[in-house]
């Protein structure tokens, strides 16, 4: 027999309760790397349509170093891979502090499709986009951190292998921005240790972009 009306109503009420007690957001950079997320966070890889990544938020100060980080911009013809991440609502304050140079853009769930089943994301899904006062291409005074790139691309590799690395690079604008070679002495606070084969993949694909590296110090 089919499920009873009472059972369906119970499941619906449980689902509504969970939505009230959790937040869901789209991660497109370091938030794709589950090593940077809390243990209670549930992630689902997928694709978001209508946005493009950019190295276009600058001015963050890490250990006295100005840096350039990732943001996103509307782009109707572009789709980017990333993750739907759900965590307890109590974590929102900490997450907002981590993403302090960004503001939240709500209602992006309908543009998301999970890899596993092609389902859209939660209707309350949001993403972080640069605040206007921080929006601008990086430069020599505010370079991309190699340790940040490594963290992001290790996350993409974990979900999609080498194709994930390739996809990220091809759907991210701003590779003219110089990269600070801090891999051996990371400035980025969530730096990760790469497997040798992943490091080689990252370096090979970045070489194809003819990126410019700046020496530390």
């Amino acid at each position: 027999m089919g499920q009873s009306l009472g059972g369906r109503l119970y499941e619906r009420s449980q689902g509504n309760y969970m939505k009230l007690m959790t937040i869901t957001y789209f991660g497109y950079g370091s938030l794709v790397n589950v090593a940077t997320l809390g243990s209670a966070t549930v992630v689902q890889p997928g694709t978001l349509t209508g946005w493009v990544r950019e190295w276009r938020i600058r001015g963050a100060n890490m250990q006295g170093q100005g840096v350039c980080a990732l943001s996103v911009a509307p782009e109707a013809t572009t789709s980017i891979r990333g993750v739907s991440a759900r965590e307890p609502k109590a974590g929102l304050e900490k997450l907002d502090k981590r993403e302090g140079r960004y503001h939240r853009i709500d209602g992006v769930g309908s543009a998301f499709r999970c890899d596993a089943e092609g389902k859209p994301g939660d209707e309350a899904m949001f993403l972080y986009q640069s605040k206007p006062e921080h929006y601008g291409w990086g430069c020599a005074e505010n370079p991309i951190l190699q340790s940040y790139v490594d963290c992001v691309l290790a996350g993409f590799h974990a979900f999609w292998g080498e194709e994930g690395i390739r996809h990220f690079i091809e759907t991210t604008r701003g590779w003219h921005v110089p990269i600070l070679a801090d891999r051996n002495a990371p400035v980025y606070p969530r730096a990760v240790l790469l497997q040798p084969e992943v490091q080689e993949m990252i370096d090979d694909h970045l070489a194809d972009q003819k990126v410019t590296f700046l020496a530390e110090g």
Side-chain angles (χ1 to χ4, degrees):
M1 293 179 63
Q3 186 182 39
S4 69
L5 176 60
R8 291 198 298 272
L9 290 175
Y10 174 76
E11 287 188 358
R12 184 179 301 171
S13 66
Q14 287 292 94
N16 290 337
Y17 175 77
M18 287 296 294
K19 288 180 180 180
L20 289 173
M21 298 301 293
T22 60
I23 55 171
T24 305
Y25 51 91
F26 179 74
Y28 55 85
S30 62
L31 293 171
V32 174
N33 192 321
V34 297
T36 75
L37 304 178
S39 59
T41 306
V42 177
V43 299
Q44 193 172 45
T47 301
L48 187 74
T49 298
W51 295 83
V52 64
R53 273 180 297 264
E54 300 178 314
W55 289 111
R56 210 165 181 175
I57 177 169
R58 64 186 181 190
N61 189 295
M62 295 183 184
Q63 300 181 31
Q65 171 68 54
V67 300
C68 172
L70 286 165
S71 187
V72 286
E75 177 77 24
T77 59
T78 303
S79 296
I80 55 175
R81 286 177 172 170
V83 298
S84 166
R86 189 178 75 248
E87 66 173 85
K89 195 171 185 177
L92 182 58
E93 183 178 355
K94 182 178 180 180
L95 185 64
D96 278 347
K97 184 176 181 180
R98 168 175 170 169
E99 309 298 324
R101 295 177 187 266
Y102 301 77
H103 56 202
R104 286 185 247 138
I105 304 296
D106 296 321
V108 301
S110 62
F112 177 82
R113 292 294 181 274
C114 71
D115 286 350
E117 300 175 332
K119 292 182 178 179
D122 189 293
E123 61 186 17
M125 181 190 290
F126 61 87
L127 58 73
Y128 285 100
Q129 184 182 27
S130 174
K131 293 177 179 177
E133 61 267 33
H134 301 298
Y135 187 64
W137 296 113
C139 56
E141 290 72 35
N142 294 279
I144 300 166
L145 298 178
Q146 187 178 25
S147 55
Y148 178 33
V149 177
D150 286 348
C151 176
V152 172
L153 290 182
F156 275 77
H157 180 268
F159 283 111
W160 300 286
E162 186 171 4
E163 173 56 28
I165 294 174
R166 183 184 299 109
H167 165 83
F168 176 89
I169 292 173
E170 291 178 351
T171 57
T172 303
R173 295 173 178 159
W175 293 109
H176 64 279
V177 178
I179 298 176
L180 181 67
D182 70 329
R183 179 178 280 163
N184 294 326
V187 174
Y188 185 59
R190 288 173 284 275
V192 298
L193 183 63
L194 297 175
Q195 295 295 321
E197 62 272 17
V198 176
Q199 180 175 308
E200 184 176 357
M201 277 183 209
I202 291 172
D203 292 346
D204 287 348
H205 284 285
L206 289 178
D208 291 340
Q209 295 294 315
K210 298 181 172 57
V211 299
T212 300
F213 283 95
L214 305 175
E216 278 194 286

